[in-house]
Amino acid sequence: MFPKNAWYVACSANEIDDKPLGRKICGESLVLYRALGGKATALEDFCPHRGAPLSLGHVIEGKLVCGYHGLEMGCDGKTIAMPGQRVRGFPAIRNYPVIERYGFVWVWPGDAALADASKLHHLEWAESPEWAYGGGLFHINCDYRLMVDNLMDLTHETYVHSTSIGQKEIDETPTTTKVDGDTVVTSRFMENIQAPPFWRMALRGNHLADDVPVDRWQICRFTPPSHVMIEVGVAHAGKGGYNADPAHKVSSIVVDFITPETETSHWYFWGMARNFQPQDKALTATIREGQHKIFSEDLEMLESQQRNLLAHPTRNLLKLNIDSGGVQSRRVLDRLMAQEGIGAEGVTT
Amino acid sequence: MFPKNAWYVACSANEIDDKPLGRKICGESLVLYRALGGKATALEDFCPHRGAPLSLGHVIEGKLVCGYHGLEMGCDGKTIAMPGQRVRGFPAIRNYPVIERYGFVWVWPGDAALADASKLHHLEWAESPEWAYGGGLFHINCDYRLMVDNLMDLTHETYVHSTSIGQKEIDETPTTTKVDGDTVVTSRFMENIQAPPFWRMALRGNHLADDVPVDRWQICRFTPPSHVMIEVGVAHAGKGGYNADPAHKVSSIVVDFITPETETSHWYFWGMARNFQPQDKALTATIREGQHKIFSEDLEMLESQQRNLLAHPTRNLLKLNIDSGGVQSRRVLDRLMAQEGIGAEGVTT
Amino acid sequence: MFPKNAWYVACSANEIDDKPLGRKICGESLVLYRALGGKATALEDFCPHRGAPLSLGHVIEGKLVCGYHGLEMGCDGKTIAMPGQRVRGFPAIRNYPVIERYGFVWVWPGDAALADASKLHHLEWAESPEWAYGGGLFHINCDYRLMVDNLMDLTHETYVHSTSIGQKEIDETPTTTKVDGDTVVTSRFMENIQAPPFWRMALRGNHLADDVPVDRWQICRFTPPSHVMIEVGVAHAGKGGYNADPAHKVSSIVVDFITPETETSHWYFWGMARNFQPQDKALTATIREGQHKIFSEDLEMLESQQRNLLAHPTRNLLKLNIDSGGVQSRRVLDRLMAQEGIGAEGVTT
């Protein structure tokens, strides 16, 4: 279950530059493409003529042309023309509110009348030249909320990512979780520790010594419907930690847009935004490669967890202090779904 | 849903020359093989001993021998012998009426008492030395009627096959559909146009100029249960078109035997019969290769269309003038199924 | 359906030497690993924290550590510790009785209170230096009882294994089946025949002439829950056959531990124990390779048979004299399942 009256990332902007894209979002089969003037557009992926997916078609002069019999579809879901046919009586297909911003195409899969552009998050890092961003996309066969849990409880780094970002001190340092309206923040601060391999690489990337003690922080921020932005970084120990002068630290935002596909699968748009050495493209590539490897490690665990939960539908899971970020995020989701008249979530709480 | 009291192509003759073949036809699992004297035979693919598929066995002196424990099955579905056993009381398995003709093995999957050899189509091109034939077989995951629709409305060539046989004039030229008993014919005639690449190749193959205007025709003929023969060709413009002297044209029959496997899959026996340069085997191979590429383009579209229709079971599709051939063919099928007591077709009309 | 109050082979001993193993046995998802001192242990493969499979974790100093958030599980299914947590109230997971013996890990998937080590078979060949053993494991998608049938009726060797151990005389020689309590024995003795290729290889391996007539025997012994040990061998003809002096024969035991995974799949632990040239490791490898090829031939047949039976759930199969071993074995299984309150078996009898 997922709220539908919300902005979800449907695709990266460049995924629809050359041809239409078919993608299921929140149970809705969409065709995404660029209409006249390059305007990102999302329609039901169903030709009203004979039911062919419009995503197998082409975009010609801003019109989506069905690849089967040439029906020309408008960006409002109304047929524009079809060779040899009068099309006025053709049934319209659904069109979805869309905003293109921050390098992504955002879709509102619920009630279009409620779509409100002001509800789209402001993402400072995506618009400022002082920041660089690199990322990717995974398709993962599990409930999107298992991914929210994963990202709101980083103790798993010690175990799942032991060779890159994990370290025993994560496990040993308690977290604080705060809820502010629909935002949930879980923070952990570690002092005077050794940086793990990924962060030693980042320190070198920012021309800083990588063999001295550091202070490390993780500030996980959930916002609806299912975005998790994580401020992460290390500073040379004793220089102020999170608040240290940029000359002594490397800090980034782990960017996670988690878009439900079905009840048990989701699209995971992952990436990292950083505000050190933003012009260094080789560093962007190195970080992206490191993240790709790290998030791949979560994939097997999450899909196995999902299979186990489906096989044991009545078993209650534990809600420990470390799970607080996920538990609070699910409460926000439950509240939003209740507002939409969607029942409280089931077995995976 | 499909009529079962009809002759369907089960396999090409050479598919059973060396060993038994297991294939599902109209929901029936068959084993096809050559019995004594090479007689094509179709039985239920189920050994009465322990249920092993007989298609995993061998044919020895015209007897089908189960590959598990050596039961010898006769071509009437009655066990002939089994080492160390009295077999008189063994339950018989079903045998199906079979005719081998025109290079194909035809099976009657319905009531054997109603099987009537005279109902098998006469195919002139398959018996005359003035014709050559080449073809192939695809397994396609869609209702066989979506393939009938596809072949009775060739406007899709403009879009699906734009690099080979498609051209804008197909779209722009209206068709005529006539129903005569159980036969449905949809025709389109185009005059004084450029031949598309496939037909330029065919013109050269018949030693004709390929860079002059042509008249082009498409005459799609549906006959039950689900065969579509399409007369196609081009003649140098102004020479009489369809009726032009053979010296000025290339004409062929696109051969489509569409055999249901399940409700949502079918076997597609495709090919082309031509009566120009019939002795030119290299030309046969070139045409066959071209057709293979063309029909492969339909595959993705049809399977995607099927998935879309299954996901939207209540949605009505449009029945435009260009769909008339398919619509009328489905009416014939509905009538035949009603005669067999099978309910009228569902959502994909 | 399968008895659950019994010892089943869950894995070979060396499968858990390096890391935990996840495997489903009789419908139960298990994690198998070596606890303190190397003790083979089987628990439910479900972390009580968030449902991750424990088989994705690690064994550290005899404790099974969840690979997701570091929960330390004890060999009794009770959580030992978790970083930063009090674990006393954590729900326990199920632990299963385990015995490691004969190079295998045996699990009792049913009522632990009834587990009785004395019910584990004594396997002379597995403990004596006069015997050598080699084997392997297949996952097969069919009811484990179809494999019991297969092994209790070796007439199929003539057809399925015609190039290795099959020969016409198997088919022509009747068998005798005897039931003694829960043990079923089906025997066949063939005299003065040519040895087939596998046995000629074995004769050479024991430095015996392979081109003289032999006496051959097959004594299939079913014991619950689903083990089939088959004494097989050939002796130079006229030297006493099964009872011949070791100098004139090669004799072995085909070892088959058949462990249900689900209702329609099983784990097949196959192998051969021999008491000639036990020190000859190259011979062990050659025999193992030959068996691998032979048992691979059964795989396709059994999985196809299973599909056919599922498609024809109401059809009765024949129970011929050659099927007597399997039929009697299923009666033993039915009796054991009735004792556990499990309904009599269904369609595949």
Side-chain angles (χ1 to χ4, degrees), chain A residues 149-150 153 155-156 159-160 168 171 300-302 304-305 308-309 312 315 317-318 320-323 330 348-349, chain C residues 29 44-54 56 58 65-70 82-85 90-91 93:
Chain A
D149 294 342
N150 174 286
D153 172 17
T155 56
H156 79 272
Y159 303 94
V160 180
K168 196 59 194 159
D171 227 17
E300 185 190 6
M301 180 60 77
L302 288 167
S304 300
Q305 184 190 15
N308 245 2
L309 295 176
H312 296 87
R315 195 167 305 207
L317 302 184
L318 295 175
L320 307 177
N321 50 355
I322 55 170
D323 300 310
R330 284 164 180 260
T348 58
T349 49
Chain C
S29 289
E44 215 174 349
D45 195 12
F46 191 96
C47 178
H49 175 217
R50 300 298 295 173
L54 292 165
L56 293 182
H58 304 278
V65 177
C66 180
Y68 202 178
H69 302 98
M82 188 172 170
Q85 309 296 333
F90 282 25
I93 55 172

Side-chain angles (χ1 to χ4, degrees), chain B residues 229-296:
Chain B
M229 303 290 122
I230 311 180
E231 289 185 78
V232 291
V234 299
H236 282 173
K239 300 292 186 183
Y242 176 72
N243 295 307
D245 185 272
H248 302 300
K249 72 181 176 187
V250 280
S251 67
S252 318
I253 299 171
V254 176
V255 174
D256 307 289
F257 300 122
I258 307 163
T259 302
E261 181 193 45
T262 68
E263 297 290 337
T264 54
S265 62
H266 70 271
W267 303 100
Y268 178 36
F269 296 88
W270 55 265
M272 181 170 273
R274 74 177 191 281
N275 61 355
F276 59 93
Q277 314 292 344
Q279 77 298 338
D280 185 343
K281 289 192 191 310
L283 181 59
T284 302
T286 301
I287 289 174
R288 189 181 181 287
E289 194 180 328
Q291 273 199 306
H292 187 282
K293 187 170 169 298
I294 290 168
F295 291 144
S296 299

Side-chain angles (χ1 to χ4, degrees), chain B residues 2-303:
Chain B
F2 28 75
K4 293 189 85 164
N5 291 329
W7 294 108
Y8 286 97
V9 171
C11 62
S12 298
N14 60 14
E15 286 187 272
I16 55 170
D17 283 347
D18 299 325
K19 53 181 184 179
L21 173 71
R23 182 162 287 166
K24 187 178 279 190
I25 302 292
C26 294
E28 309 273 330
S29 290
L30 307 186
V31 51
L32 297 141
Y33 70 102
R34 296 200 175 281
L36 211 58
K39 183 176 161 20
T41 304
L43 302 175
E44 215 175 348
D45 195 12
F46 191 96
C47 177
H49 174 218
R50 302 297 296 173
L54 291 165
S55 55
L56 293 182
H58 304 277
V59 179
I60 299 174
E61 297 173 6
K63 285 168 293 194
L64 181 60
V65 177
C66 180
Y68 202 178
H69 301 98
L71 181 145
E72 293 179 23
M73 178 55 66
C75 62
D76 55 358
K78 288 181 187 154
T79 303
I80 295 171
M82 186 171 172
Q85 309 296 333
R86 291 196 194 87
V87 301
R88 282 190 60 181
F90 282 27
I93 57 172
R94 195 167 164 193
N95 78 322
Y96 296 86
V98 170
I99 297 171
E100 181 172 356
R101 196 175 297 167
Y102 309 131
F104 294 100
V105 176
W106 305 74
V107 166
W108 182 280
D111 183 348
L114 301 175
D116 179 354
S118 73
K119 291 192 174 170
L120 191 64
H121 305 263
H122 177 68
L123 301 174
E124 169 70 18
W125 52 262
E127 298 192 312
S128 159
E130 292 172 27
W131 290 76
Y133 178 81
L137 169 62
F138 286 169
H139 178 267
I140 304 187
N141 283 312
C142 78
D143 188 319
Y144 72 108
R145 292 171 293 193
L146 296 180
M147 180 57 94
V148 173
D149 293 344
N150 174 286
L151 292 162
M152 292 299 289
D153 172 18
L154 299 184
T155 57
H156 79 272
E157 292 183 358
T158 309
Y159 303 94
V160 181
H161 313 303
S162 59
T163 61
S164 53
I165 53 175
Q167 58 186 149
K168 196 58 194 158
E169 290 87 350
I170 295 174
D171 228 15
E172 294 167 351
T173 308
T175 56
T176 310
T177 295
K178 290 185 180 163
V179 182
D180 179 9
D182 285 349
T183 300
V184 180
V185 180
T186 293
S187 311
R188 178 186 279 115
F189 297 92
M190 293 157 277
E191 292 180 5
N192 203 34
I193 63 174
Q194 287 299 316
F198 179 88
W199 285 112
R200 288 206 298 275
M201 175 273 288
L203 285 164
R204 290 191 302 272
N206 199 21
H207 313 308
L208 290 169
D210 70 344
D211 55 356
V212 298
V214 297
D215 299 333
R216 182 179 176 186
W217 59 91
Q218 302 172 320
I219 305 167
C220 312
R221 183 172 279 107
F222 167 87
T223 50
S226 46
H227 310 327
V228 180
M229 303 290 122
I230 311 180
E231 289 185 78
V232 291
V234 299
H236 282 173
K239 300 292 186 183
Y242 176 72
N243 295 307
D245 185 272
H248 302 300
K249 72 181 176 187
V250 280
S251 67
S252 318
I253 299 171
V254 176
V255 174
D256 307 289
F257 300 122
I258 307 163
T259 302
E261 181 193 45
T262 68
E263 297 290 337
T264 54
S265 62
H266 70 271
W267 303 100
Y268 178 36
F269 296 88
W270 55 265
M272 181 170 273
R274 74 177 191 281
N275 61 355
F276 59 93
Q277 314 292 344
Q279 77 298 338
D280 185 343
K281 289 192 191 310
L283 181 59
T284 302
T286 301
I287 289 174
R288 189 181 181 287
E289 194 180 328
Q291 273 199 306
H292 187 282
K293 187 170 169 298
I294 290 168
F295 291 144
S296 299
E297 294 169 336
D298 291 297
L299 232 160
E300 185 190 6
M301 181 59 78
L302 287 167
E303 296 193 343

Side-chain angles (χ1 to χ4, degrees), chain A residues 152-345:
Chain A
M152 292 300 287
D153 172 17
L154 299 184
T155 56
H156 79 272
E157 292 184 358
T158 310
Y159 303 94
V160 180
H161 312 304
S162 59
T163 61
S164 53
I165 54 175
Q167 60 186 150
K168 196 59 194 159
E169 290 86 351
I170 295 175
D171 227 17
E172 294 166 350
T173 308
T175 57
T176 309
T177 295
K178 290 184 180 164
V179 182
D180 179 9
D182 284 349
T183 300
V184 180
V185 180
T186 294
S187 311
R188 178 186 280 114
F189 297 91
M190 295 157 275
E191 293 181 4
N192 204 34
I193 62 173
Q194 288 298 315
F198 179 89
W199 285 112
R200 288 206 299 274
M201 176 273 288
L203 284 164
R204 290 191 302 272
N206 200 21
H207 313 305
L208 289 169
D210 69 345
D211 56 354
V212 298
V214 296
D215 299 332
R216 182 179 176 186
W217 59 93
Q218 301 172 319
I219 304 166
C220 311
R221 184 172 279 107
F222 167 89
T223 51
S226 47
H227 310 327
V228 180
M229 303 289 123
I230 311 179
E231 290 186 77
V232 291
V234 298
H236 281 173
K239 299 291 186 182
Y242 176 73
N243 295 308
D245 186 272
H248 301 301
K249 71 181 176 188
V250 281
S251 67
S252 318
I253 300 172
V254 177
V255 175
D256 308 289
F257 300 122
I258 307 163
T259 302
E261 181 192 46
T262 68
E263 297 290 336
T264 53
S265 62
H266 70 271
W267 302 101
Y268 178 37
F269 296 88
W270 55 264
M272 182 171 272
R274 74 177 191 281
N275 61 356
F276 58 93
Q277 315 292 345
Q279 78 296 339
D280 184 344
K281 290 192 190 309
L283 181 58
T284 303
T286 302
I287 289 175
R288 190 182 181 287
E289 193 180 329
Q291 274 199 305
H292 187 282
K293 187 171 168 297
I294 290 168
F295 291 144
S296 299
E297 294 169 335
D298 290 297
L299 232 161
E300 185 190 6
M301 180 60 77
L302 288 167
E303 296 192 343
S304 300
Q305 184 190 15
Q306 177 70 69
R307 282 192 296 271
N308 245 2
L309 295 176
L310 288 173
H312 296 87
T314 62
R315 195 167 305 207
N316 289 316
L317 302 184
L318 295 175
K319 297 175 186 176
L320 307 177
N321 50 355
I322 55 170
D323 300 310
S324 183
V327 168
Q328 296 297 339
S329 299
R330 284 164 180 260
R331 285 201 189 143
V332 173
L333 287 166
D334 286 348
R335 194 164 62 233
L336 294 172
M337 289 190 280
Q339 287 168 12
E340 295 189 24
I342 301 169
E345 71 176 318

